[in-house]
Amino acid sequence: MTNDTNEIILNVSGKTRKVRIPEGWNDLPTDKLLAFYDLLFTAPGDEFTASAFTSVKLLSIMQHLLGVGSEFLVQWEAQRIKGDPEFGALGFLDELRQTMHYAIKDLFEVNEADGVTTYAAKLNLTKNPWPQLNGPGKNKKQKQRAFYAPDDELANLTIYELGMTFSYFEAYLNTGDEEHAHNLIAMLYRPSRPITTKERESAWGGDRRQALRGYEGKIEERVKLVKTLPLLVRRVILFWFAGCRQQIVNTYPKVFKSDSGSGRSTNYGWGGVLLSIAEAGPMGNLNEVSDNHYSNALTYLSMKADEAEEARKKAEESSRKRR
């Protein structure tokens, strides 16, 4: 039985217990996040499509969320059959289905059409389970070296970094080529800039990582390290990136207006976007534009989209008046 909050009230054999269900993938502890992901997604790209997950797998997730075992389900079914020998079994299955859908409602989109139910993972994981990863050091004296991810929600990316990472992610989606995924992760995880008093006092200017622009030659070096990560870790990082990307796409719908939602439609890609902003002049030259926070550029593009739409409406109105 459920109420109108993110709780499920379990009541079987006179025993009542309230269970809090997650409000999204961010609510899951890392061990459950990894377990659920590993259970569901078996092939590259699964997590970004409306794949039909088996009821058995989703039932297993529900049991983990509610903290109940198979014996609990047996007891639940027996109680319903005892109360209604003829239709109790069907009533149990209906209750179980409703409970499962409620338990996973913030993790999966549930679509029911023509008697068929399909499930798609909600892209709402924006909290990175691994803000730092460790790899081998540069030499014998440095045994380990830390590599840092961008902030949660990709909050500290420049427009150049956003364009680069979005492009590689879209290439991965379109081709399924894991090399694009490896390059993407190598762009996200970067070593720290030199530790100085100025950097520490400025909190690294919001991002302690070595710059991406100007250091593109270092990406391939890190790709070799990325390939040594466990497959599950790499896949969950991509799932996190997909959630952050989706949040940005939703925030700037006038910029990301292609049918697929994969990004701004342009014949010249992200390089053309940067050049068009630099040519307009409001944010400086190409280098200055590239190093701007992505929100500045996307807000500017949203404003230009509004202006273009307003100009179109005025032109249509003027044309109608002339007729």
Side-chain angles (χ1 to χ4, degrees):
M1 183 175 69
T2 63
N3 59 15
D4 59 355
T5 68
N6 263 51
E7 286 182 341
I8 287 182
I9 302 173
L10 302 176
N11 189 344
V12 177
S13 299
K15 296 181 180 180
T16 300
R17 180 164 61 94
K18 289 184 179 180
V19 179
R20 185 78 183 171
I21 58 175
E23 297 183 25
W25 290 92
N26 285 338
D27 273 1
L28 294 176
T30 302
D31 60 340
K32 277 193 170 61
L33 170 64
L34 293 176
F36 293 173
Y37 189 97
D38 196 31
L39 175 68
L40 290 170
F41 305 117
T42 57
D46 280 357
E47 62 273 50
F48 314 118
T49 63
S51 300
F53 304 120
T54 67
S55 295
V56 173
K57 290 182 177 182
L58 292 173
L59 184 60
S60 176
I61 285 180
M62 183 203 76
Q63 288 179 261
H64 277 90
L65 292 175
L66 302 186
V68 299
S70 298
E71 67 282 356
F72 177 87
L73 301 183
V74 171
Q75 186 181 16
W76 182 1
E77 182 179 25
Q79 182 177 322
R80 292 296 175 264
I81 293 175
K82 183 179 180 181
D84 185 352
E86 185 175 0
F87 299 107
L90 290 176
F92 161 73
L93 291 175
D94 185 57
E95 286 184 7
L96 180 62
R97 183 169 174 274
Q98 290 185 48
T99 302
M100 182 180 77
H101 284 181
Y102 192 86
I104 66 172
K105 67 184 177 65
D106 291 324
L107 302 178
F108 298 92
E109 298 282 358
V110 181
N111 300 301
E112 299 177 277
D114 301 323
V116 178
T117 304
T118 58
Y119 304 88
K122 288 188 173 181
L123 298 180
N124 56 24
L125 178 65
T126 57
K127 181 181 177 183
N128 190 347
W130 300 290
Q132 176 183 330
L133 293 173
N134 293 323
K138 292 181 177 179
N139 48 52
K140 292 181 179 179
K141 290 184 179 180
Q142 186 186 42
K143 293 184 178 181
Q144 278 197 330
R145 192 181 187 194
F147 296 84
Y148 300 91
D151 287 348
D152 292 343
E153 303 178 357
L154 304 179
N156 56 352
L157 260 60
T158 65
I159 186 61
Y160 177 80
E161 293 169 339
L162 189 82
M164 284 276 285
T165 54
F166 272 35
S167 295
Y168 272 86
F169 183 77
E170 288 150 20
Y172 169 63
L173 290 185
N174 292 332
T175 66
D177 187 344
E178 292 282 346
E179 285 300 315
H180 295 309
H182 296 153
N183 274 275
L184 168 60
I185 296 172
M187 291 175 192
L188 295 172
Y189 281 85
R190 308 200 292 268
S192 174
R193 299 197 301 272
I195 301 173
T196 65
T197 300
K198 181 181 178 181
E199 293 281 26
R200 283 176 168 170
E201 288 180 348
S202 68
W204 305 93
D207 190 348
R208 73 176 297 170
R209 299 172 305 154
Q210 180 188 84
L212 179 61
R213 191 175 70 83
Y215 292 83
E216 292 88 350
K218 291 290 186 179
I219 294 173
E220 185 56 37
E221 188 178 297
R222 294 195 297 275
V223 164
K224 296 175 184 177
L225 299 178
V226 169
K227 290 180 178 179
T228 67
L229 293 172
L231 177 61
L232 184 58
V233 171
R234 281 181 272 152
R235 301 290 300 285
V236 171
I237 290 173
L238 291 176
F239 188 49
W240 162 71
F241 181 84
C244 296
R245 170 180 171 273
Q246 190 61 49
Q247 179 173 281
I248 293 171
V249 168
N250 293 344
T251 303
Y252 299 94
K254 294 172 184 174
V255 178
F256 300 95
K257 56 188 177 182
S258 64
D259 291 338
S260 64
S262 62
R264 180 175 168 81
S265 177
T266 171
N267 293 329
Y268 301 100
W270 282 96
V273 171
L274 296 178
L275 285 169
S276 67
I277 298 174
E279 188 177 64
M283 295 169 60
N285 60 35
L286 182 58
N287 287 342
E288 291 168 331
V289 170
S290 298
D291 292 335
N292 254 269
H293 189 272
Y294 74 79
S295 63
N296 296 332
L298 297 186
T299 298
Y300 171 76
L301 292 173
S302 293
M303 292 170 58
K304 298 303 289 183
D306 282 339
E307 291 174 6
E309 179 63 16
E310 184 63 26
R312 184 189 66 78
K313 289 179 179 178
K314 287 182 178 179
E316 288 180 352
E317 181 64 24
S318 177
S319 177
R320 281 196 295 270
K321 289 179 178 180
R322 289 196 299 267
R323 290 174 186 169

